[in-house]
Amino acid sequence: MSEPEVELTTTVNGEEVDAVVPARLHAADFLRHKLGLTGTHVGCEQGVCGMCTVIVDGQAVKSCLMLAAQLHGREVRTVESLATGDELNLLQRAFTSEHGLQCGFCTPGMLMTATALAERGEPLAREEIREEIAGVLCRCTGYEGIVRAIEGHLGGRVDATGGAA
């Protein structure tokens, strides 16, 4: 007996996508394997590590905890939406400038979480930033460079090169 399938229409990184997917396909797997958006990393598949964080209708969500069918009628943004061609956006440049990445596995989840924070438009203290990004695990950086990058970005203290303004 084959698994039931569902039709969905969603907007991913500004482009409308129509698809027929298995009813139990996770959103992370849909993005990675059906759409080829491999910046959405899959780690724990239990919503703990945050590597699969994307933005759905303006909210940072862990795509391993959603079914692809739940994306129907919604707007999804992945890390691939941040750069324009080969040109990194200010947040990505801040991560580079502040050494907020090493192995890079958590970077997409951190970038999408920070993007959602920036879009809220609220000033955040360093400890609040740490609390907000706690849902994305990083084993390499000790978070200091990540926090500095986000803090500079949220505070508007990042120039066009990504460095402190």
Side-chain angles (χ1 to χ4, degrees):
M1 181 180 207
S2 65
E3 183 176 357
E5 293 186 325
V6 296
E7 293 181 26
L8 71 96
T9 299
T10 184
T11 302
V12 180
N13 298 336
E15 293 185 28
E16 187 171 292
V17 174
D18 293 309
V20 177
V21 298
R24 294 187 299 175
L25 181 69
H26 288 108
D29 292 328
F30 170 69
L31 295 168
R32 287 184 59 81
H33 302 297
K34 297 286 186 189
L35 302 185
L37 299 170
T38 57
T40 302
H41 292 168
V42 178
C44 69
E45 298 185 75
Q46 298 174 12
V48 176
C49 72
M51 304 303 162
C52 65
T53 302
V54 298
I55 297 175
V56 178
D57 292 339
Q59 300 292 313
V61 300
K62 295 175 182 178
S63 61
C64 74
L65 295 179
M66 294 184 76
L67 296 174
Q70 292 175 285
L71 299 177
H72 181 70
R74 301 176 88 179
E75 181 182 332
V76 181
R77 286 184 292 150
T78 69
V79 71
E80 288 89 352
S81 72
L82 300 181
T84 303
D86 289 338
E87 185 163 330
L88 301 178
N89 75 4
L90 287 176
L91 177 61
Q92 290 170 308
R93 286 186 250 160
F95 266 63
T96 301
S97 175
E98 294 292 346
H99 308 287
L101 47 96
Q102 284 181 20
C103 83
F105 197 70
C106 74
T107 305
M110 288 289 187
L111 287 168
M112 296 315 288
T113 300
T115 297
L117 289 176
E119 290 173 357
R120 287 190 345 210
E122 302 169 6
L124 296 174
R126 180 173 282 247
E127 286 310 309
E128 292 171 310
I129 293 169
R130 285 185 173 280
E131 187 174 321
E132 292 283 350
I133 65 171
V136 183
L137 302 181
C138 174
R139 301 280 191 246
C140 300
T141 70
Y143 288 92
E144 193 53 37
I146 294 169
V147 172
R148 278 195 316 266
I150 296 170
E151 186 177 42
H153 184 71
L154 294 179
R157 296 186 312 273
V158 177
D159 64 20
T161 66

